[in-house]
Amino acid sequence: MTLIKSISGIRGTIGGTPGEALTPVDIVKFTYAYCVKLRERRPKPEGGRYRVVVGRDARISGEMVENIVCGTLIACGVDVVKAGFASTPTTEMAVVFEKADGGIILTASHNPKQWNALKLLNEKGEFLSAEEGAAILECADSESFDFAPVEELGSVVEEDFTDRHIDAVLALDAVDAEAVRKAGFKVVLDAVNSVGGIIMPRLLKRLGVECVELNCTPDGNFAHNPEPLPSNLTGLSEAVVANRADLGISVDPDVDRLALMCEDGSPFGEEYTLVSVADYLLSRAYETAEKTGKSLEDVCAPYSFCTVSNLSSSRALRDVTERYGGEYFSAAVGEVNVTARMKECGALIGGEGNGGVIYPALHYGRDAMVGIALFLTNLAYRKCKVSELQKTYPQYTIAKNKIQLSDKALIDKILDRMKEIYSSENVNDIDGVKISFEADRKWVHLRKSNTEPIIRIYAEAPDAAGAGKLAEEIISIAEGIIGK
């Protein structure tokens, strides 16, 4: 049994004891606290009604959690727009479509089927800030309830926003549906038996793409570990080759992450999903500026000719951005941190190296639908195989490790000492400690866990041997610090 409360929401395994797992009691407390803080954040005139969109992925516990969340919202006097089966980005966009006051997404993202979670949105369809999330956690622990009288109970309407989401993606200037249709692509889609099996085939059909469906029944019985990593996608790899497809597509249960497979069955690399989409958008802006004589800033307006990713994402995005004369910015790990940084610098494109593409021309949220639409447009223009496209990008390998500690107090000691040892290098401490070795084009990022005495270590270099060696060096130094 596990229950993890964080500023981004509440996540846990289903069943067990309140306070130790995600039980009906915990769901009610957290939903109630969301309503309390919603009223504080967005005061309404006397008699005004609050509206909240609720969407969910297809995991087995989804209907139960949805019923409790919607019932609690109604009991708090909040009107509910029930989106039903909906991807995370679809629910985010539905908040905007409906001009709602907020949204709640019921999904544990890439976690296994025994998990579920409540992810909380503001009126912009974006995740709450750290401060807002912390306030909800504090309120949920107070165990003080005051529900609405019968005359003030909320109501429920149901609406499917899938096609409106797809329409918005296809309406983007950077998406060339006609070019994709003419290319005649054939793809294999692995939607891990969740809501990706609903929206992705519809989008691909609208783009004129032949889609071979694999694990596309939205029943929550995940056919494999739902995290879209190469080790979990061997079935997709085999299906791509067997069907002589141009591309393999994998999404996680809530469809905010996109991982691709080359035509030969080899992984495109989830780190390169964002890199490839950014390369397309940057090159498109660069070429337009050259043809028209306009400045890059004018071509990109209202955005800037720059990109953003989190500190643990591949350097390849920075390299590609600088290749076109653009500027790259880094952010702390976490979607809310990346979007905040993107807004600060007006980024054209951003996201995370886990396959999360954030394209602000559509909305500020990771979105596999816009990711694949942009990727296929680029592929149609390039007229090359996916494996050939992958080779055009700077090649890096990331090694992921962790150090288990006996005492959480040791974490800061290790991080502080690392900054001293590598003070002559480029050090960033906005989220743990990231050390960049510019001359060798490699970096290592040390991040502490918020829930366990663990330091996660991500190291990247131009090859696997270099990344592994760097990680081993850092681990050895950390072990030496612990021993002192």
Side-chain angles (χ1 to χ4, degrees):
M1 296 185 294
T2 307
L3 182 67
I4 301 173
K5 301 177 183 179
S6 71
I7 57 175
S8 60
I10 185 170
R11 175 168 51 104
T13 52
I14 297 297
T17 305
E20 297 180 4
L22 188 59
T23 70
V25 174
D26 299 286
I27 295 167
V28 170
K29 288 170 59 177
F30 205 70
T31 304
Y32 177 83
Y34 175 77
C35 291
V36 170
K37 295 304 174 183
L38 171 61
R39 293 190 186 97
E40 292 179 5
R41 189 177 78 249
R42 290 175 63 79
K44 290 274 188 181
E46 188 68 28
R49 305 286 295 183
Y50 288 92
R51 298 173 73 235
V52 171
V53 176
V54 178
R56 68 180 179 95
D57 68 15
R59 60 187 63 234
I60 297 167
S61 63
E63 184 176 7
M64 180 272 289
V65 177
E66 178 187 58
N67 287 338
I68 296 171
V69 167
C70 291
T72 304
L73 290 169
I74 293 168
C76 290
V78 174
D79 292 338
V80 176
V81 181
K82 188 188 291 187
F85 281 159
S87 73
T88 283
T90 302
T91 305
E92 292 170 346
M93 294 193 68
V95 173
V96 178
F97 292 150
E98 290 293 302
K99 297 180 180 178
D101 299 291
I104 301 179
I105 307 169
L106 312 178
T107 175
S109 192
H110 63 271
N111 290 106
K113 65 180 181 180
Q114 66 268 29
W115 288 78
N116 213 327
L118 279 66
K119 297 184 178 181
L120 311 177
L121 305 175
N122 62 20
E123 69 280 4
K124 297 179 181 178
E126 300 169 12
F127 290 115
L128 300 182
S129 68
E131 294 76 15
E132 291 167 333
I136 288 174
L137 288 178
E138 183 178 352
C139 180
D141 288 335
S142 68
E143 299 192 11
S144 176
F145 301 97
D146 183 16
F147 293 104
V150 67
E151 298 86 0
E152 298 176 14
L153 295 177
S155 62
V156 179
V157 295
E158 297 183 11
E159 187 168 349
D160 185 347
F161 296 95
T162 301
D163 287 327
R164 291 182 70 179
H165 185 177
I166 293 172
D167 290 343
V169 170
L170 296 180
L172 293 167
D173 288 341
V175 174
D176 190 337
E178 187 58 30
V180 175
R181 292 188 192 102
K182 289 180 179 178
F185 293 125
K186 180 180 182 179
V187 306
V188 179
L189 167 68
D190 184 348
V192 74
N193 289 334
S194 191
V195 293
I198 298 172
I199 191 169
M200 289 297 280
R202 285 197 212 175
L203 171 63
L204 293 168
K205 183 178 181 180
R206 294 276 299 276
L207 286 167
V209 175
E210 181 182 352
C211 179
V212 178
E213 297 183 13
L214 181 67
N215 304 320
C216 284
T217 303
D219 59 13
N221 291 302
F222 301 152
H224 52 77
N225 185 314
E227 187 165 13
L229 301 176
S231 58
N232 301 327
L233 300 177
T234 54
L236 175 60
S237 176
E238 293 168 359
V240 168
V241 175
N243 286 277
R244 297 182 179 179
D246 298 293
L247 174 68
I249 300 171
S250 174
V251 292
D252 62 341
D254 67 326
V255 209
D256 63 354
R257 290 173 60 180
L258 173 67
L260 306 172
M261 200 71 67
C262 298
E263 79 290 342
D264 59 3
S266 64
F268 187 77
E270 64 172 356
E271 288 287 338
Y272 286 87
T273 300
L274 173 59
V275 173
S276 63
V277 171
D279 177 58
Y280 162 56
L281 293 170
L282 292 166
S283 64
R284 179 174 180 266
Y286 187 84
E287 290 167 6
T288 299
E290 285 202 321
K291 289 178 182 177
T292 63
K294 295 181 179 179
S295 70
L296 284 167
E297 292 305 312
D298 285 341
V299 168
C300 294
Y303 305 102
S304 299
F305 197 62
C306 64
T307 63
V308 173
S309 66
N310 69 39
L311 289 171
S312 289
S313 297
S314 176
R315 177 188 165 121
L317 179 62
R318 170 185 161 184
D319 289 356
V320 166
T321 302
E322 293 177 348
R323 177 191 297 171
Y324 295 104
E327 191 170 4
Y328 166 78
F329 298 91
S330 59
V333 174
E335 182 175 335
V336 67
N337 297 317
V338 174
T339 56
R341 191 73 174 107
M342 289 177 68
K343 290 177 182 179
E344 288 174 5
C345 62
L348 178 66
I349 183 74
E352 299 182 294
N354 59 8
V357 174
I358 302 173
Y359 186 43
L362 183 66
H363 69 121
Y364 278 102
R366 296 184 304 184
D367 191 325
M369 274 67 69
V370 75
I372 195 60
L374 293 170
F375 181 87
L376 289 173
T377 298
N378 187 31
L379 192 64
Y381 288 162
R382 292 290 190 97
K383 294 181 171 60
C384 66
K385 294 180 179 180
V386 176
S387 60
E388 295 170 344
L389 178 64
Q390 206 278 342
K391 290 175 183 176
T392 66
Y393 303 126
Q395 298 299 301
Y396 293 100
T397 300
I398 293 181
K400 298 181 180 181
N401 297 273
K402 62 182 179 182
I403 302 174
Q404 186 83 42
L405 303 170
S406 58
D407 183 359
K408 289 186 72 172
L410 292 170
I411 295 177
D412 287 333
K413 179 181 179 181
I414 292 172
L415 296 181
D416 289 341
R417 183 65 183 127
M418 288 294 180
K419 286 194 290 185
E420 293 175 2
I421 294 172
Y422 293 100
S423 59
S424 62
E425 304 293 344
N426 185 347
V427 176
N428 186 319
D429 62 358
I430 64 171
D431 182 9
V433 174
K434 180 174 182 177
I435 307 157
S436 297
F437 303 87
E438 298 295 340
D440 299 318
R441 295 189 301 125
K442 62 183 182 180
W443 56 261
V444 61
H445 186 199
L446 295 85
R447 293 187 68 239
K448 56 183 171 182
S449 167
N450 293 323
T451 58
E452 304 172 271
I454 289 174
I455 295 180
R456 304 190 189 281
I457 299 175
Y458 301 86
E460 182 179 70
D463 55 64
K469 183 178 179 181
L470 178 57
E472 290 173 5
E473 175 185 316
I474 294 298
I475 292 172
S476 176
I477 292 173
E479 290 174 343
I481 295 171
I482 296 169
K484 291 182 181 178

